[in-house]
Amino acid sequence: MSDEIDGNTILAQSLKEQGVEYVFGIVGFPVIELGMAMQQAGLKFIGMRNEQAACYAAQAIGYLTKKPGVCLVVSGPGLLHVCGGMANAQVNCWPLLVIGGSCSEDHEAIGGFQEYPQVEMSRPYCKYAARPPSALLIPTHVEKAVRLATYGRPGACYLDFPGNILQGRVESNNIVKSYIHPEPPLTFPNPKSMIEAAEMLMKAKRPLVIIGKGAAYARAEVALRQLIQQTNLPFIATPMGKGVVPDTARQCVAPARTLALQRADVVLLLGARLNWILHFGRAPRFNENVKVIQVDIQPEEMHNSIPTSCAIQSDLLPFSEMFVDELAKRKFRLAKSGEWWQELFEKCDKNRETVNRMSMDVSVPLNYYAVFHHLRMKIPSDSIIVSEGANTMDIGRAMLLNNLPRHRLDAGTFGTMGVGLGFAIAAGLYCRDYHPGKRVICVEGDSAFGFSGMEIETMIRYQLPIIIVIVNNGGIYSGFTKDDFESIQSAGDPSLVTPVTALNVETRYEQMMSMFGKEGHFVRTIPELEEAVKESLIPSDHPSIINVIISPQADRKPQNFSWLTESKL
């Protein structure tokens, strides 16, 4: 007779064996004992205040470590609350494993507590969704879920555990043991396609490289930095592709992004998708006759919006290393004195002048550019920047530079609001455990902060010195002055007259720190901002909130195009 073991312990040990390190969630029936078993197995459990934030944190740690974070939730409503997070991970291509408790099987179909068809509900948001039919098979399903979350294009997986399976006991000798799968296999490019891509680039008059977050996830930064330096090709990066090659590199033409996209005749697309972020690759944002060399791990992504001239299925790391050698053999280097570079340099200089003028305008109330410029001057250059909001995030992409890969987390492909503080908690844990001393700067719009503001209590509890900068304009996109807001509110029923984009004027978010016996920072001027950042950077065991009041009508610099390509239907 072998020893008996319960489902909670089997599950916790299986996760540990498969290399899982972090669990985020909120416990309740039937997963309280599971949370305890996870800690006993050596998994780091971070109790959050909202299931959505827990799910965002779990997927962000998956992106940063390449090992799926786990989001643990209760049955029914608990799982429903993480659907947005599961979808975000799936669309963002980040590894995530959601584990949901569910009502005991003998209570199904008779109105069990929080009964819901959880596997079926999760399946549209996942690569894999299943319920182990027995505690004996838990290791098999955990191995598969972790493997599918990380192999190929990463994404979300879901495992469902009824209370009777978690609490039931089985003989340990009867457990179906699983294996520890190896690291995901690498897909190498077709050599003929490499030659074709090299020849297309060499014939291009106006080539451009676009670097996506797929390149960051692939850890391809060393090879891609060598590629850009060796070839002198101009490049831009998608928001979370920033830092793979430094934003400060001479070849970065982000200030001339619109011109570069419109005029490029050959685009080398590395780990990015031609979706809304890149205007679908279509005119008028792109050259109507542009040729695209698309490198992606997933073949189904090829030709998705426009015909791809050269489609290469490959992991970014082997492609980048091999392509460096292919272009070196041909001694390819784009002359910096050519017409294309001169055109790009002129546009970069012109746009930088515009931004610099706005950055140097420190009149009160402040504008976005002045806040971001002076913030960048005071924070460590190797900080992980989490950014969320409308104008706050969009303008911050240009103003808050990244010179290291995987050092920017934002709303991403799905454009999800509410991710900020969850992402910041994941980044804070990652820095604490892997890069001690590195700082996390979470830059939030006031509307964005409202989605998950109580997660500051989580930061306090787990001693994470995250700096939260709230760029407060009193609204969504824009707000109102105090006089205008009071005039609107007095005009009638507030639910009928208050503008749909309005929030309260100058809300004192920094005073939330007083709940924990700490002080926040209320900022109106640049000297106050600089002093607040200086104080917040002093080593501590708690977060900081810097509440920066800006003009309610502050906006981005004039654009040649709307930031979002409009539908023609």
Side-chain angles (χ1 to χ4, degrees):
M1 177 73 68
S2 63
D3 294 335
E4 287 191 339
I5 185 172
D6 67 1
N8 289 313
T9 303
I10 298 171
L11 177 52
Q13 291 178 352
S14 298
L15 291 167
K16 183 67 175 178
E17 289 170 359
Q18 295 300 333
V20 170
E21 187 175 359
Y22 298 94
V23 181
F24 303 82
I26 301 176
V27 299
F29 181 81
V31 297
I32 297 174
E33 291 81 3
L34 176 56
M36 297 175 183
M38 287 173 165
Q39 288 184 316
Q40 290 175 350
L43 299 172
K44 298 174 183 177
F45 182 86
I46 297 88
M48 305 284 284
R49 300 306 301 267
N50 181 283
E51 286 101 343
Q52 287 182 324
C55 198
Y56 298 140
Q59 63 195 257
I61 206 74
Y63 170 69
L64 292 169
T65 66
K66 297 192 79 170
K67 295 182 289 187
V70 168
C71 179
L72 176 64
V73 296
V74 300
S75 50
L79 180 61
L80 283 167
H81 287 171
V82 303
C83 286
M86 294 165 71
N88 190 70
Q90 188 72 354
V91 174
N92 233 20
C93 309
W94 286 0
L96 167 71
L97 174 56
V98 175
I99 291 176
S102 57
C103 78
S104 295
E105 290 170 302
D106 58 323
H107 290 174
E108 291 181 340
I110 58 173
F113 176 66
Q114 296 183 332
E115 179 185 356
Y116 203 75
Q118 297 181 181
V119 176
E120 294 87 343
M121 184 208 66
S122 301
R123 191 162 282 127
Y125 311 110
C126 293
K127 295 178 70 176
Y128 176 67
R131 171 192 287 184
S134 163
L136 300 173
L137 291 169
I138 287 175
T140 299
H141 286 272
V142 168
E143 184 281 324
K144 184 170 184 178
V146 172
R147 173 163 44 87
L148 293 188
T150 53
Y151 274 41
R153 174 169 280 180
C157 291
Y158 173 69
L159 291 178
D160 190 71
F161 292 94
N164 61 293
I165 288 182
L166 290 175
Q167 296 155 13
R169 302 183 70 82
V170 297
E171 292 188 13
S172 57
N173 284 349
N174 293 334
I175 296 172
V176 179
K177 298 296 182 183
S178 192
Y179 57 90
I180 310 303
H181 55 259
E183 292 293 317
L186 292 178
T187 302
F188 282 72
N190 184 327
K192 291 183 179 179
S193 298
M194 297 274 288
I195 294 171
E196 180 184 356
E199 291 176 350
M200 287 178 61
L201 271 180
M202 293 187 70
K203 293 176 182 177
K205 294 181 179 179
R206 298 180 300 278
L208 178 68
V209 178
I210 300 177
I211 300 172
K213 72 173 178 288
Y217 185 81
R219 274 53 175 177
E221 56 266 18
V222 173
L224 288 182
R225 291 179 181 205
Q226 183 179 351
L227 174 69
I228 295 298
Q229 290 298 321
Q230 174 182 296
T231 62
N232 198 41
L233 286 167
F235 78 92
I236 61 173
T238 63
M240 280 186 278
K242 284 162 59 69
V244 172
V245 181
D247 286 345
T248 53
R250 190 184 64 84
Q251 293 86 357
C252 179
V253 294
R257 182 182 189 273
T258 297
L259 173 70
L261 294 178
Q262 281 184 301
R263 297 275 292 143
D265 58 356
V266 174
V267 168
L268 175 60
L269 188 67
L270 302 174
R273 290 169 281 182
L274 291 176
N275 53 23
W276 67 274
I277 291 177
L278 289 173
H279 317 287
F280 315 106
R282 298 175 182 174
R285 298 303 296 261
F286 278 72
N287 183 333
E288 188 174 22
N289 299 311
V290 66
K291 294 180 179 180
V292 177
I293 304 165
Q294 186 172 10
V295 186
D296 201 284
I297 195 173
Q298 186 175 33
E300 290 85 354
E301 191 61 42
M302 310 299 181
H303 318 290
N304 194 46
S305 176
I306 61 172
T308 300
S309 301
C310 180
I312 302 175
Q313 182 192 4
S314 177
D315 282 88
L316 258 295
L317 181 57
F319 169 83
S320 304
E321 293 173 341
M322 294 171 67
F323 203 52
V324 165
D325 294 338
E326 185 68 36
L327 294 176
K329 285 190 301 185
R330 299 164 182 268
K331 299 182 179 179
F332 171 71
R333 183 173 176 82
L334 188 66
K336 64 180 179 181
S337 59
E339 290 184 9
W340 180 224
W341 263 122
Q342 294 308 307
E343 192 175 353
L344 290 170
F345 280 148
E346 288 176 8
K347 189 64 173 178
C348 284
D349 289 343
K350 182 178 179 181
N351 284 342
R352 285 193 185 104
E353 288 177 7
T354 301
V355 169
N356 285 340
R357 282 197 302 271
M358 299 174 76
S359 301
M360 294 301 106
D361 177 6
V362 296
S363 58
V364 177
L366 297 168
N367 68 75
Y368 286 103
Y369 293 88
V371 170
F372 290 145
H373 171 77
H374 290 87
L375 176 63
R376 187 181 79 209
M377 294 297 103
K378 292 298 179 181
I379 62 176
S381 61
D382 67 344
S383 300
I384 293 181
I385 297 171
V386 180
S387 188
E388 180 183 19
N391 289 338
T392 298
M393 181 174 65
D394 294 333
I395 299 172
R397 286 170 174 165
M399 296 297 296
L400 299 173
L401 304 184
N402 294 100
N403 291 327
L404 294 171
R406 300 170 297 281
H407 277 59
R408 180 183 173 87
L409 303 171
D410 70 17
T413 310
F414 212 29
T416 307
M417 289 293 101
V419 298
L421 270 64
F423 282 5
I425 288 168
L429 292 164
Y430 174 72
C431 291
R432 184 193 69 186
D433 296 342
Y434 288 88
H435 300 282
K438 186 182 290 289
R439 300 308 299 263
V440 177
I441 315 296
C442 182
V443 185
E444 299 269 300
D446 50 331
S447 172
F449 179 76
F451 280 82
S452 54
M454 274 310 300
E455 295 300 340
I456 62 170
E457 190 273 334
T458 307
M459 298 177 187
I460 289 281
R461 196 168 1 115
Y462 291 99
Q463 301 178 357
L464 300 174
I466 295 162
I467 299 175
I468 303 168
V469 180
I470 301 172
V471 185
N472 187 349
N473 69 347
I476 303 170
Y477 298 108
S478 61
F480 296 87
T481 64
K482 183 178 181 181
D483 289 344
D484 287 343
F485 189 74
E486 289 177 351
S487 175
I488 291 169
Q489 292 266 291
S490 64
D493 182 343
S495 62
L496 295 176
V497 300
T498 303
V500 294
T501 60
L503 299 174
N504 276 313
V505 178
E506 296 190 1
T507 301
R508 299 295 298 267
Y509 298 105
E510 82 288 349
Q511 292 186 5
M512 293 177 73
M513 293 303 298
S514 66
M515 295 188 296
F516 313 103
K518 313 293 183 184
E519 291 186 2
H521 304 272
F522 184 73
V523 168
R524 290 189 187 277
T525 69
I526 292 302
E528 290 173 346
L529 173 63
E530 292 174 335
E531 182 61 26
V533 173
K534 179 182 177 181
E535 291 182 14
S536 298
L537 286 171
I538 297 172
S540 69
D541 62 354
H542 62 82
S544 303
I545 295 180
I546 303 174
N547 184 17
V548 186
I549 303 301
I550 67 168
S551 168
Q553 298 302 313
D555 202 354
R556 70 189 77 201
K557 73 180 182 66
Q559 304 288 308
N560 292 333
F561 289 92
S562 171
W563 69 274
L564 179 62
T565 303
E566 300 297 332
S567 172
K568 300 295 186 268
L569 297 180

